[in-house]
Amino acid sequence: MAPASFDWWKRESHRGTPVVVKMENPNWSMVELESPSEEDFLISDSPSRSRDNNKSRNKNAKQLTWVLLLKAHKAAGCLTSIASTFLSLGSVVRRRVASGRTDSETRMENENKAVKSRFYSCIKLFLWLSVVLLVFEVSAYFKGWHFGTPKLQLEYIFTSPIAIKGIFDLMYSGWVLIRVDYLAPPLQFLANACIILFFIQSMDRLILCLGCFWIRFKKIKPVPKHDDTPDLESGDKGYFPMVLVQIPMCNEKEVYQQSIGAVCELDWPKSKLLIQVLDDSDDPTTQTLIKEEVHKWQQEGANIVYRHRIIRDGYKAGNLKSAMNCSYVKDYEFVAIFDADFQPTPDFLKRTVPHFKDNEQLGLVQARWSFVNKDENLLTRLQNINLSFHFEVEQQVNSVFLNFFGFNGTAGVWRIKALEDSGGWLERTTVEDMDIAVRAHLQGWKFIFLNDVECQCEVPESYEAYRKQQHRWHSGPMQLFRLCLPDIIKSKISVWKKFNLIFLFFLLRKLILPFYSFTLFCIILPMTMFVPEAELPTWVVCYIPATMSFLNILPAPKSFPFIVPYLLFENTMSVTKFNAMISGLFQLGSAYEWVVTKKSGRSSEGDLVSLVAKEPKTTHQKGSSVPNFSEVKMEMKQQEQKASRKKKKHNRIYMKELTLAFLLLTASARSLLSAQGIHFYFLLFQGISFLLVGLDLIGEQVD
């Protein structure tokens, strides 16, 4: 009797496989699906138990059917949302492309048209050649010329009787023999040379990352010497020498208020601080606005002066050089430089200047940049990855192990004596910051980079502004290399430092990197699809680039979802960097272009709140530069609305990038015939990346 009651209790306790379903409009989702019990799988001779098991199985089958239907309904909902997303994306692309302008319609006056057209003509030639070859290869494929791998089976060419061959077979046989005898050997040699350069550069990147890991593991950090001497004016204890602060700017009305306001809030004795606003603007309205802003802060008690040059010679270097020639500069020991979009924190000088105390060989203290608009769009996120690696890895490692790195041009404090010993600011290149850093290094001065001291700024939000900035940053170092090479060789620094300057600092990171990136992935790789006898290994195309991208993204861990776009975008930017490198190396016209990077004037609400928090309790004068938070937001909104009514935004259509996009997509189609999976996917996605950049769909539109 006991076993029967026990079976009855088991049958009551297990009533099939319950499913709890909730409705999430418009889709359904399954919350719980209980797994079958052991009883469902027992085989028994008892008729009653068999009937119970059959009923249980029927219930399970019905419930499973419902679950599958619910999942199908959910999948259909997902497909519908994906389709609507693609439709909206397509409409945005169509709208932005319709308002686009080509390079020729917006070409700069000082741009070297001959050089640009020659470079563009070479890319177009490769494109048309690839299209003709693709048609030829597809025709051969349908006639039975199947090549599964780059290693060709040429028995058909030599064993098939000539009489059997048609004209097309003869032509294709001749093309294959030309490839094997004349095209493949030089192409393979060039590919191998680029692979060696690629490997060397990857090892350099890996060593830098290991150096950064070592710094973190050992917690190596520059520590300033403390000074307990109290300042007579402020009463604070510390090291308070005379500091000059310079803010060079040129037609940057979007950001001048932020930088001037932040610098005037620096926590430093006023009698030992002088602020120079170095205005090179040629717009009378902008000049008037900056003058008024300086006057407001003078009324607030800030020690600030306004300087304007009528003749704008030498761009930023000429502006800084002119300011350093003022008679009162001799009273100051250090100079801090901030570009117009930089907003230092009030304790910036207290965290940087003390490093100079009792360290007479120290010439520069450089702070790290942080970005208020790093999450604005995909372009700003990718720039944040690059610059985070530059500061946390490159600058920090070179500072700790070599006491030398390239000055970033802003957010740094110089010892004025180091500037004078190095020859001061020179206008001979578009990278005056790197120029003065190299010359100071040759004079024996040491540099310190502070990774924990940040200064807020902006990154370009439009591809047009970013492209011009990168052109200047990559053409200038090649100009400087040509000018500095004799001085480096003749200098009295050690052989190791000369090697570091010539090979690592200039050749490897400024010349070889853009050269092999463009040549290997944009020229050689597509050519190997049409000349398959020359091949690139899979590890060159996929594994090493992926590993390097992973290392680059480590300093910005929140950007890991963008690792694939980052890899593709870096290869896409190689065309601009390669063009700039060639212009600077051979002193072509575009190497001397200086275009002020367009600023948006974005400031986070946290920055505005901090300004209000620092507002004095006393009532401000009319027109005070620290307005009420709500008034600031209202004024910014009105300015944006006014600007949107006056200016119409448009896209630029970049013909070089578009031509390379179609070249890579054509090569990816050819790779399908050889069944090269990795190469096909790389070329396909890289071609799409060039297409998006060529249509200016990656950043903000330009005015």
Side-chain angles (χ1 to χ4, degrees):
M1 188 67 185
S5 62
F6 180 74
D7 291 341
W8 173 86
W9 180 83
K10 286 182 66 178
R11 287 197 299 272
E12 292 296 322
S13 63
H14 181 70
R15 301 179 180 273
T17 305
V19 179
V20 181
V21 179
K22 68 178 182 179
M23 182 175 182
E24 295 177 352
N25 193 24
N27 297 326
W28 296 78
S29 66
M30 180 184 65
V31 176
E32 180 184 358
L33 175 63
E34 189 177 293
S35 60
S37 66
E38 295 180 0
E39 187 183 76
D40 295 330
F41 301 100
L42 292 176
I43 300 175
S44 176
D45 296 332
S46 174
S48 60
R49 180 168 296 181
S50 299
R51 285 194 299 269
D52 292 339
N53 288 341
N54 291 332
K55 290 180 181 180
S56 177
R57 291 192 188 97
N58 292 334
K59 287 183 180 180
N60 286 340
K62 290 179 180 179
Q63 291 165 351
L64 183 60
T65 304
W66 274 106
V67 170
L68 293 176
L69 287 174
L70 292 174
K71 287 189 174 182
H73 187 273
K74 187 174 182 179
C78 292
L79 291 175
T80 305
S81 61
I82 292 173
S84 62
T85 302
F86 274 106
L87 286 175
S88 61
L89 179 62
S91 63
V92 171
V93 170
R94 186 170 62 254
R95 185 168 61 252
R96 293 189 66 168
V97 172
S99 63
R101 300 179 185 177
T102 61
D103 292 344
S104 58
E105 293 173 331
T106 53
R107 192 182 297 276
M108 296 170 49
E109 294 180 0
N110 60 340
E111 209 168 9
N112 192 320
K113 298 181 181 180
V115 175
K116 299 281 184 181
S117 61
R118 282 198 296 267
F119 186 53
Y120 177 48
S121 298
C122 291
I123 298 176
K124 282 200 299 185
L125 177 63
F126 275 109
L127 173 61
W128 286 114
L129 185 61
S130 65
V131 171
V132 172
L133 290 177
L134 178 62
V135 174
F136 194 37
E137 294 287 349
V138 170
S139 301
Y141 182 83
F142 285 107
K143 285 184 174 292
W145 294 80
H146 297 168
F147 303 117
T149 63
K151 296 178 175 58
L152 298 178
Q153 298 175 355
L154 301 180
E155 292 84 355
Y156 177 77
I157 299 177
F158 299 108
T159 59
S160 179
I162 298 180
I164 299 177
K165 295 181 181 178
I167 297 178
F168 183 86
D169 291 332
L170 289 173
M171 292 175 59
Y172 194 78
S173 301
W175 163 240
V176 171
L177 293 175
I178 291 173
R179 282 181 354 207
V180 172
D181 294 335
Y182 301 104
L183 298 181
L187 183 59
Q188 187 66 62
F189 175 80
L190 184 60
N192 292 339
C194 287
I195 290 173
I196 293 173
L197 297 178
F198 182 32
F199 182 75
I200 294 173
Q201 199 275 332
S202 300
M203 290 302 299
D204 173 64
R205 189 62 55 96
L206 180 61
I207 292 171
L208 286 174
C209 290
L210 292 176
C212 183
F213 291 147
W214 180 257
I215 291 171
R216 282 197 170 192
F217 178 71
K218 290 292 185 179
K219 298 180 180 180
I220 301 174
K221 178 182 175 182
V223 179
K225 292 187 177 180
H226 295 284
D227 191 344
D228 295 332
T229 306
D231 179 67
L232 298 178
E233 179 182 346
S234 62
D236 297 337
K237 293 182 180 181
Y239 177 57
F240 297 102
M242 300 289 285
V243 177
L244 176 69
V245 179
Q246 296 178 332
I247 313 176
M249 56 180 64
C250 179
N251 296 326
E252 295 171 283
K253 61 183 178 181
E254 298 87 0
V255 292
Y256 72 93
Q257 283 183 315
Q258 300 172 15
S259 59
I260 293 176
V263 170
C264 288
E265 292 288 346
L266 287 172
D267 186 9
W268 201 258
K270 292 185 178 180
S271 62
K272 297 183 178 181
L273 180 69
L274 175 64
I275 302 168
Q276 287 181 318
V277 178
L278 311 177
D279 183 24
D280 258 6
S281 303
D282 54 10
D283 176 28
T285 304
T286 305
Q287 294 177 25
T288 303
L289 291 172
I290 297 174
K291 283 181 184 178
E292 290 178 354
E293 186 70 15
V294 171
H295 180 65
K296 292 172 187 176
W297 281 104
Q298 287 174 342
Q299 291 180 329
E300 292 290 331
N303 193 10
I304 183 172
V305 296
Y306 173 85
R307 282 180 54 85
H308 176 72
R309 293 192 306 162
I310 299 177
I311 302 175
R312 187 188 164 201
D313 289 338
Y315 303 110
K316 181 181 176 181
N319 197 1
L320 294 172
K321 182 179 180 180
S322 174
M324 293 299 293
N325 289 331
C326 295
S327 58
Y328 53 78
V329 172
K330 66 179 184 297
D331 299 328
Y332 294 84
E333 188 176 355
F334 303 102
V335 56
I337 303 172
F338 300 101
D339 282 351
D341 59 317
F342 278 72
Q343 305 169 50
T345 55
D347 62 347
F348 181 88
L349 293 179
K350 285 187 174 181
R351 299 178 67 184
T352 54
V353 174
H355 288 273
F356 289 98
K357 181 175 174 56
D358 299 332
N359 192 354
E360 296 299 324
Q361 292 183 324
L362 183 61
L364 167 68
V365 174
Q366 172 72 57
R368 178 175 179 162
W369 300 357
S370 61
F371 312 105
V372 297
N373 61 338
K374 63 183 179 180
D375 296 323
E376 191 63 30
N377 53 45
L378 178 60
L379 178 61
T380 58
R381 288 185 172 95
L382 299 179
Q383 291 179 73
N384 179 56
I385 296 172
N386 248 345
L387 291 170
S388 296
F389 181 86
H390 168 69
F391 285 110
E392 186 155 343
V393 179
E394 292 180 339
Q395 297 291 74
Q396 187 173 211
V397 170
N398 288 325
S399 169
V400 170
F401 294 103
L402 298 174
N403 295 122
F404 167 73
F405 50 85
F407 174 46
N408 293 117
T410 178
V413 182
W414 276 94
R415 188 188 295 272
I416 293 180
K417 188 175 184 299
L419 293 176
E420 294 172 347
D421 287 351
S422 306
W425 298 102
L426 299 180
E427 308 100 322
R428 57 183 182 172
T429 69
T430 58
V431 284
E432 74 293 327
D433 44 10
M434 186 181 294
D435 189 358
I436 190 66
V438 171
R439 286 184 281 119
H441 181 58
L442 296 179
Q443 294 295 323
W445 292 97
K446 295 182 179 180
F447 303 162
I448 284 180
F449 174 75
L450 302 178
N451 192 52
D452 58 341
V453 179
E454 296 185 355
C455 188
Q456 282 194 338
C457 63
E458 292 183 11
V459 288
E461 295 183 8
S462 69
Y463 179 69
E464 173 67 12
Y466 180 64
R467 186 169 174 257
K468 291 176 180 178
Q469 181 196 71
Q470 292 300 304
H471 188 279
R472 187 175 78 247
W473 286 3
H474 285 81
S475 64
M478 290 298 97
Q479 302 173 27
L480 183 61
F481 178 64
R482 297 177 72 259
L483 296 170
C484 283
L485 184 59
D487 296 332
I488 295 174
I489 296 174
K490 296 176 185 176
S491 66
K492 297 180 180 179
I493 60 176
S494 64
V495 176
W496 158 244
K497 290 184 177 180
K498 290 181 181 180
F499 172 81
N500 173 67
L501 265 178
I502 295 174
F503 182 73
L504 296 179
F505 186 76
F506 279 113
L507 291 181
L508 185 60
R509 297 167 189 165
K510 303 297 188 295
L511 187 148
I512 292 177
L513 177 58
F515 171 78
Y516 86 75
S517 296
F518 174 74
T519 308
L520 186 62
F521 295 110
C522 300
I523 300 298
I524 294 178
L525 179 58
M527 289 179 66
T528 57
M529 297 299 102
F530 298 100
V531 186
E533 296 79 9
E535 55 182 316
L536 285 179
T538 303
W539 58 269
V540 173
V541 178
C542 179
Y543 302 127
I544 289 188
T547 304
M548 292 302 105
S549 298
F550 176 79
L551 294 178
N552 280 16
I553 215 168
L554 284 178
K558 292 183 179 180
S559 302
F560 266 104
F562 303 98
I563 186 169
V564 174
Y566 171 74
L567 170 61
L568 298 174
F569 182 69
E570 281 301 290
N571 290 333
T572 305
M573 281 302 300
S574 65
V575 60
T576 298
K577 296 176 181 179
F578 177 82
N579 188 26
M581 182 267 293
I582 294 296
S583 299
L585 189 62
F586 296 103
Q587 291 186 305
L588 304 178
S590 59
Y592 296 96
E593 295 174 4
W594 180 281
V595 181
V596 178
T597 304
K598 179 69 176 175
K599 313 294 192 311
S600 63
R602 296 189 187 275
S603 181
S604 63
E605 292 190 359
D607 302 326
L608 297 174
V609 170
S610 65
L611 283 176
V612 175
K614 291 183 284 188
E615 182 179 359
K617 293 181 180 180
T618 58
T619 304
H620 284 284
Q621 301 177 13
K622 186 178 180 181
S624 171
S625 55
V626 189
N628 183 268
F629 176 54
S630 59
E631 293 178 359
V632 172
K633 290 182 68 178
M634 185 66 68
E635 184 179 353
M636 291 172 63
K637 188 175 181 180
Q638 291 175 355
Q639 289 178 355
E640 289 177 358
Q641 291 175 350
K642 214 177 277 185
S644 63
R645 286 195 298 266
K646 290 182 180 179
K647 296 181 180 180
K648 184 179 179 181
K649 292 188 174 183
H650 65 274
N651 280 33
R652 281 198 63 175
I653 307 299
Y654 301 98
M655 301 307 295
K656 287 195 294 290
E657 283 79 356
L658 282 180
T659 307
L660 280 168
F662 292 119
L663 171 63
L664 293 170
L665 292 174
T666 304
S668 68
R670 171 62 182 87
S671 68
L672 284 176
L673 303 181
S674 301
Q676 294 174 282
I678 295 293
H679 298 70
F680 165 73
Y681 288 114
F682 182 88
L683 288 166
L684 175 64
F685 289 117
Q686 191 63 68
I688 294 174
S689 176
F690 268 102
L691 186 64
L692 294 176
V693 171
L695 296 176
D696 198 10
L697 300 175
I698 192 172
E700 297 295 325
Q701 292 177 304
V702 296
D703 296 329

